[in-house]
Amino acid sequence: MNRRRTTAAAALGALLLPLVLTAAGTASAAGPAPGAPAAPGAVAAAATTGVVLPELPRPSGRFAVGQETLHLVDQDRTDPWAGSGPRELMVTLPYPAHRGTGGPVAPYLTADEARLLLADRGLEQQVPAESLAGTEAYARSGARPVAGRHPLVVLSPGFTVPRATLTALAEELASRGYVVAAVDHAYESAGTSFPGGRVLTCKACEIVQQTRDYRPVADNRARDVSFLLDRLTGPHSDRRHAGLIDRSRIAVGGHSMGGSAAAAVMAADPRVRAGFDLDGGLFSPVPQGGLHGRPFLLLGGAGTVPGSAPDNPAGWDANWPRLDGWKRWITFADSHHFTFTDWPAVSDDLGLPRMTPLPGDRSVELTRRFVGAFLDLHLRGIPQPLLDGPAADVPEARFHQP
């Protein structure tokens, strides 16, 4: 991993904390597209100028990782934030692939996406967009898929941030034999590239800033995910993708608002077998009748402990009793809201001061291990002692029984 420090990169630490809008227990709140300027140009520029390119931890599974990018349009639903036009999604689809196949490594962000994310935080003059856009990952475009039907995991990012922030987790799961669908929900990030050179910014942010009501975001994302499942596994799904997916083994999870959406889609869609929430408030509360006995994992930052938000209807305290199947409430010591994304590893590679003592690579490792164990247990039926209680090799993990 590259640990060099740059003057321009020193401002990137300021990018991380202001992105937090909705944490689980308190008040804290995430790909390339056809026709959009692609990140390889940014990578070339970085190589010329000497800008540091962060590198994500390598996936640990036995498969290589292939990747496609999908543009999905729901003609039956008007976009709730734009008020006109159909609802659109951009989806990065990592999958288990044969080694030595495929084209170039898939870009992390488009140049426009990186630029808008930095500009949203007032850092466009301090941090070169090509540094963020050129973050080095491992999935190769068009690699030959491993034959068979694999469990599907849908990942939804935090509000205001792109799906790329969950790349380290997505690539890990794909290397372990899962098909992953990481979703950008139109008008819910600082900037997402869509076909035709369009870049959609965060109209939803403007609306939520006025209403202070986050539930419509979670409920809308639940509808997005159900539409995505229709397109990937339904009767009119693309045969190429449907042939890779075991429609009886589907999980949904995400970071922050994406975790809230996971609970919302489980309440509405019986196709989802398991869900997980990475430090996100449950703004669409778990129904009084529960989730029909299906498993749900709450994986949170150090401050997301029982009693931290006893009167918050979106808090985990209020929703925990309604989870009526297998459930765990686990936090990591020395962690924060963005521990469960790529940001800690990116920050460490740029030589930035840590927001907590937990190293970036360790943050990625812990998130991968616990999410992977949860999925292996509930989608593959493989026993996972890691989820049974504290263990010597994961001293950061705290198991809570409210």
Side-chain angles (χ1 to χ4, degrees), residues 36-49 53 105 107-112 129-131 133-134:
V43 173
T48 303
T49 61
L53 298 181
V105 173
Y108 186 74
L109 286 169
T110 68
D112 279 338
E130 59 266 28
S131 182

Side-chain angles (χ1 to χ4, degrees), residues 14 74 76 91-92 100 117 135-136 161 192 205 214 231 241 263 288 308 311-312 328 347 365 386 388 402:
D74 187 350
D76 295 328
V91 182
T92 298
L117 185 55
T135 297
E136 297 180 21
V161 293
T192 299
C205 299
Y214 291 97
R231 292 297 299 270
H241 302 123
Q288 290 291 343
S308 59
D311 301 320
N312 185 347
R328 293 290 187 275
S347 296
E365 179 188 0
L386 179 69
D388 292 338

Side-chain angles (χ1 to χ4, degrees), residues 1-3 54-65 99-100 105 135-140 167-176 342 345-346 349 360-366 368-369:
M1 298 291 288
N2 192 331
R3 303 296 177 204
E55 182 181 354
L56 298 179
R58 184 176 295 276
S60 68
R62 63 192 183 98
F63 300 114
V65 181
R99 298 192 180 277
V105 173
T135 297
E136 297 180 21
Y138 298 91
R140 292 190 170 271
T167 296
L169 176 59
E171 290 189 337
E172 172 70 11
L173 296 177
S175 79
R176 293 171 58 168
D342 298 349
V346 169
D349 264 19
D361 285 3
R362 183 62 171 170
S363 297
V364 170
E365 179 188 0
L366 289 170
R368 285 172 163 180
R369 283 188 65 183

Side-chain angles (χ1 to χ4, degrees), residues 373-388:
F374 172 77
L375 296 171
D376 281 350
L377 175 62
H378 295 292
L379 297 189
R380 288 175 164 157
I382 303 172
Q384 298 294 323
L386 179 69
L387 300 175
D388 292 338

Side-chain angles (χ1 to χ4, degrees), residues 238-377:
D238 183 294
R239 186 177 304 174
R240 177 180 53 182
H241 302 123
L244 287 176
I245 295 169
D246 181 347
R247 65 186 64 187
S248 70
R249 294 186 291 168
I250 297 172
V252 176
H255 170 243
S256 194
M257 183 60 73
S260 186
V265 75
M266 285 189 73
D269 197 324
R271 292 175 292 184
V272 180
R273 189 160 147 182
F276 58 93
D277 179 355
L278 305 178
D279 209 51
L282 296 172
F283 294 99
S284 186
V286 175
Q288 290 291 343
L291 299 176
H292 305 287
R294 288 171 292 171
F296 202 82
L297 170 66
L298 298 170
L299 194 60
T304 314
V305 295
S308 59
D311 301 320
N312 185 347
W316 290 0
D317 290 278
N319 287 275
W320 175 261
R322 301 178 200 146
L323 295 173
D324 57 339
W326 183 102
K327 58 185 178 181
R328 293 290 187 275
W329 181 332
I330 302 171
T331 60
F332 297 153
D334 295 328
S335 64
H336 59 85
H337 188 55
F338 273 83
T339 287
F340 310 93
T341 72
D342 298 349
W343 290 121
V346 169
S347 296
D348 278 5
D349 264 19
L350 293 171
L352 300 172
R354 290 179 183 146
M355 297 175 70
T356 72
L358 191 64
D361 285 3
R362 183 62 171 170
S363 297
V364 170
E365 179 188 0
L366 289 170
T367 302
R368 285 172 163 180
R369 283 188 65 183
F370 278 84
V371 172
F374 172 77
L375 296 171
D376 281 350
L377 175 62

